Amino acid sequence: MEVVIVKDAKAGGELIADGIADLLRRKPDALLGVATGSTPIPIYDALVAQVAAGSVDPSRARIAQLDEYVGLPAGHPESYRSTVLRQVVEPLGLSQDAFMGPDGSAEDVQAACEAYDKALAEAGGVDLQILGIGTDGHIGFNEPCSSLASRTRIKTLTEQTRVDNARFFDDDIEQVPHHVITQGIGTILEARHLVLLATGEGKAEAVAQTVEGPVSALVPASALQLHPHATVVVDEAAASKLKLAEYFRQTFAAKPDWQGI
């Protein structure tokens, strides 16, 4: 696992966008796994800026959704499909044909989960998966004590996650669904490169447990320690509880430019 400490969220977004741009130059039809929420927005903004400047061509890229609420009406503005289309697909100038995600409105939710796992495999697998992290250490919607071998499935959200997400629903927790479809940890670990961005002091404890704690289902993000190519990008606030922060700064400063992220 590589840990990169940056000045702020904007710097983190630019660093990760540079990595995505490098990937698209090597593999123009790369399958990019995207996360939602406020944390990854600086990544998407920086990538769109690179596209506008003509430094990278995303026209053949494909976009894969990480998770989806269960039961929101089709086209609901806070469904993750709508969010990904609004924040990533449309700004990059891609068509909806480039997008894939689980069906949160399916009558048979379990079948929809299995179908999405199969679709990801048939697409050749995710080349780079962007991840955020919850204050309780969850990734995707794999809440604490999720199986580290889990596949795409339906999950019940914890009260804390619903509280955290209420800001997207007019601060009304009653509007936040109780269930989601999420790629499982086992599914996430199949991506070729995992990139987690965490910003703010509220994420500091979860980051420390993820990076320096034991691998444990209690902290689902700690499973990144098992991945051969995982990058954790954190701002100074989110890095504030890392015991090895100075070491991480030194190793990144000495990293050869050709290695990228």
Side-chain angles (χ1 to χ4, degrees):
M1 178 187 292
E2 179 181 31
V3 180
V4 183
I5 301 173
V6 295
K7 178 182 178 181
D8 52 27
K10 183 175 184 292
E14 291 172 347
L15 178 70
I16 296 170
D18 285 345
I20 295 171
D22 287 343
L23 170 64
L24 290 175
R25 294 184 190 104
R26 298 192 310 270
K27 186 177 182 180
D29 64 345
L31 181 57
L32 304 176
V34 297
T36 51
S38 55
T39 298
I41 290 176
I43 303 172
Y44 309 141
D45 288 346
L47 186 59
V48 169
Q50 290 205 30
V51 172
S55 61
V56 63
D57 177 8
S59 61
R60 293 173 57 195
R62 299 167 295 155
I63 306 297
Q65 199 171 329
L66 181 62
D67 39 39
E68 181 58 278
Y69 287 117
V70 171
L72 287 184
H76 190 288
E78 295 307 327
S79 74
Y80 287 137
R81 179 182 180 87
S82 295
T83 301
V84 170
L85 291 174
R86 185 171 62 245
Q87 293 182 350
V88 184
V89 175
E90 293 170 0
L92 291 178
L94 303 176
S95 73
Q96 292 193 26
D97 292 340
F99 170 81
M100 58 191 301
D103 184 359
S105 61
E107 285 190 23
D108 188 338
V109 178
Q110 182 57 39
C113 295
E114 294 170 2
Y116 190 49
D117 246 20
K118 182 179 179 182
L120 289 171
E122 291 178 346
V126 175
D127 291 291
L128 184 149
Q129 176 65 58
I130 297 169
L131 297 167
I133 185 171
T135 55
D136 58 3
H138 74 254
I139 51 174
F141 277 115
N142 295 284
E143 299 284 14
C145 293
S146 292
S147 166
L148 301 187
S150 55
R151 309 301 303 176
T152 299
R153 68 213 190 284
I154 186 170
K155 288 289 290 182
T156 301
L157 297 181
T158 65
E159 190 71 4
Q160 182 60 58
T161 297
R162 294 182 69 238
V163 168
D164 290 346
N165 285 5
R167 67 189 188 278
F168 300 114
F169 292 83
D170 299 323
D171 290 320
D172 181 4
I173 192 173
E174 296 304 318
Q175 295 186 44
V176 182
H178 285 271
H179 298 96
V180 291
I181 293 174
T182 184
Q183 286 187 37
I185 297 173
T187 306
I188 291 170
L189 290 176
E190 290 177 352
R192 295 175 183 87
H193 185 189
L194 301 178
V195 181
L196 186 151
L197 176 63
T199 57
E201 188 176 357
K203 301 294 178 71
E205 181 61 32
V207 167
Q209 291 296 322
T210 293
V211 172
E212 298 175 339
V215 175
S216 168
L218 190 60
V219 183
S222 66
L224 269 66
Q225 295 180 35
L226 303 173
H227 197 277
H229 191 191
T231 306
V232 176
V233 180
V234 292
D235 68 0
E236 291 289 348
S240 61
K241 294 190 178 182
L242 289 172
K243 297 176 182 177
L244 298 177
E246 190 55 36
Y247 170 72
F248 297 137
R249 292 188 181 94
Q250 292 171 0
T251 54
F252 185 69
K255 184 177 181 179
D257 290 340
W258 56 264
Q259 283 189 329
I261 68 164

